[in-house]
Amino acid sequence: MNERTPKRAVVTAATGGIGMETALGLARQGWDVTVVARDEGRGGAAVARIDEAAGRRAGRFVRADLSSLAETRRIGERLAGEGPLDLLVNNVGGMWTDRRESPEGIEASIVLNHLSPRVLTEVLLDALAAAAPSRVVNVTSSAIAAAQTVFDDAEPPGPHYGLAVTGRAKLAHLAYSMELAGRLGPRGVTVLAADPGAAATDNAAQMTIEILPPALRPHWEQIQKGVSAPVASAATGPLAAATDPALEGRTGLVIGPTGTVDDTLLAFVTPELTEAVRAWTAGLMATAAQRS
Ligand SMILES: NC(=O)c1ccc[n+]([C@@H]2O[C@H](COP(=O)([O-])OP(=O)(O)OC[C@H]3O[C@@H](n4cnc5c(N)ncnc54)[C@H](OP(=O)(O)O)[C@@H]3O)[C@@H](O)[C@H]2O)c1
């Protein structure tokens, strides 16, 4: 690692859930942590907890609605202007039973799980490279296993099932992450995906059985048991991806819920899929640019 201390981390959606636990874990390990989320009140409370965990002033809240790509870009440019960045944890994500739209009129789980973290990462690339060796951690999900892998249209064909749509967005982001790993390796930025596993967060609490495609509904009880797991333990994967010295330079891996390398989800990322995701993403970004 480089010599600058304390190291600077940006963690998105970290005023609650897995992001908050990841931010607290980083603070305990001596990092300065910038939390990006929407709510000022939750932001203030998160900063107080981060400061307490660090035993010093280590937290900062930056307000942004990351479902707006224009706002994500603005915040990214502001953070990029602050100099070298050692760690970006793209934790923001979401899965809902009902279909929602972003301010730019794109299905919201595609935006929060793929387009928005992609915009933030791209804007911060030079700041990350300036801090090399540095890392990008993209929080992924086993929902990928339920993804519809068709990328012809903005949304998959047929009825909206939150798990399948979110799984598809996470798959797109995993394909992007692997591409990014190849691109950033020579610049000293390690790119890792981290699967936190299921946990009892606010997002998990609002899910109903209708989130599942009918074929998966017999598994609802089992899935519900999974999302009753403690949130703190779900930060194990993201924290290992962010800080484990043994992962330095081992770019393009997925870290599983136990904090070890787990390539299960990478089986879904084929060269054909990566190519399809690239074209699909470009189309969505063009649509968003027209509408913002
Ligand atoms: N929970 C699980 O079982 C599970 C399983 C696998 C993967 N994951 C992944 O883990 C990550 C975190 O999930 P979670 O369950 O902890 O989510 P969560 O409970 O919804 O996270 C809450 C955090 O997200 C922030 N947030 C929500 N919408 C936002 C927006 N538009 N802009 C900025 N911040 C926003 C909230 O802050 P504000 O309200 O202040 O904005 C809060 O800090 C996601 O990528 C998710 O896909 C979760």
Side-chain angles (χ1 to χ4, degrees):
M1 288 294 237
N2 60 43
E3 298 305 315
R4 284 177 306 99
T5 54
K7 293 188 180 300
R8 286 183 60 223
V10 169
V11 185
T12 62
T15 59
I18 296 161
M20 170 92 254
E21 295 299 330
T22 304
L24 292 174
L26 290 170
R28 284 185 202 107
Q29 293 184 43
W31 291 73
D32 276 355
V33 186
T34 296
V35 164
V36 184
R38 293 166 301 183
D39 187 275
E40 297 274 359
R42 283 159 63 90
V47 168
R49 287 191 63 192
I50 290 167
D51 290 352
E52 192 189 353
R56 64 183 180 87
R57 286 197 166 185
R60 176 177 66 144
F61 175 69
V62 170
R63 209 210 73 80
D65 180 354
L66 297 170
S67 71
S68 158
L69 297 180
E71 192 163 329
T72 302
R73 189 177 302 281
R74 271 198 303 278
I75 287 299
E77 284 167 355
R78 179 181 147 194
L79 294 170
E82 295 175 352
L85 177 65
D86 302 276
L87 171 66
L88 170 63
V89 182
N90 284 309
N91 167 73
V92 78
M95 184 191 307
W96 305 280
T97 300
D98 55 314
R99 183 187 176 281
R100 300 182 182 185
E101 278 194 3
S102 73
E104 284 124 357
I106 298 172
E107 194 280 325
S109 66
I110 295 174
V111 174
L112 274 192
N113 292 291
H114 175 49
L115 299 180
S116 169
R118 181 182 178 280
V119 166
L120 189 62
T121 306
E122 294 290 333
V123 174
L124 286 170
L125 286 188
D126 287 343
L128 286 157
S134 51
R135 294 192 195 183
V136 176
V137 174
N138 290 327
V139 177
T140 187
S141 166
S142 60
I144 283 177
Q148 285 163 280
T149 56
V150 187
F151 288 92
D152 298 338
D153 294 319
E155 290 172 62
H160 177 97
Y161 298 118
L163 182 73
V165 175
T166 297
R168 179 173 174 265
K170 289 286 191 196
L171 176 57
H173 204 67
L174 186 59
Y176 163 71
S177 303
M178 295 306 115
E179 241 192 344
L180 185 71
R183 197 161 27 115
L184 291 189
R187 298 183 78 186
V189 185
T190 298
V191 180
L192 298 165
D195 176 8
T201 63
D202 289 350
N203 188 237
Q206 54 75 50
M207 292 176 196
T208 63
I209 193 169
E210 286 78 23
I211 210 156
L212 303 178
L216 292 179
R217 291 186 186 172
H219 304 291
W220 176 239
E221 268 185 35
Q222 193 191 332
I223 290 168
Q224 283 219 297
K225 256 188 217 150
V227 292
S228 62
V231 183
S233 55
T236 303
L239 273 174
T243 63
D244 185 345
L247 293 171
E248 194 58 69
R250 297 185 65 199
T251 197
L253 298 175
V254 179
I255 309 306
T258 60
T260 55
V261 175
D262 180 348
D263 59 8
T264 314
L265 296 176
L266 285 183
F268 295 89
V269 181
T270 61
E272 297 74 33
L273 180 123
T274 302
E275 187 53 47
V277 164
R278 198 182 298 134
W280 174 77
T281 303
L284 289 171
M285 292 303 297
T287 303
Q290 277 167 9
R291 292 175 181 171
S292 61

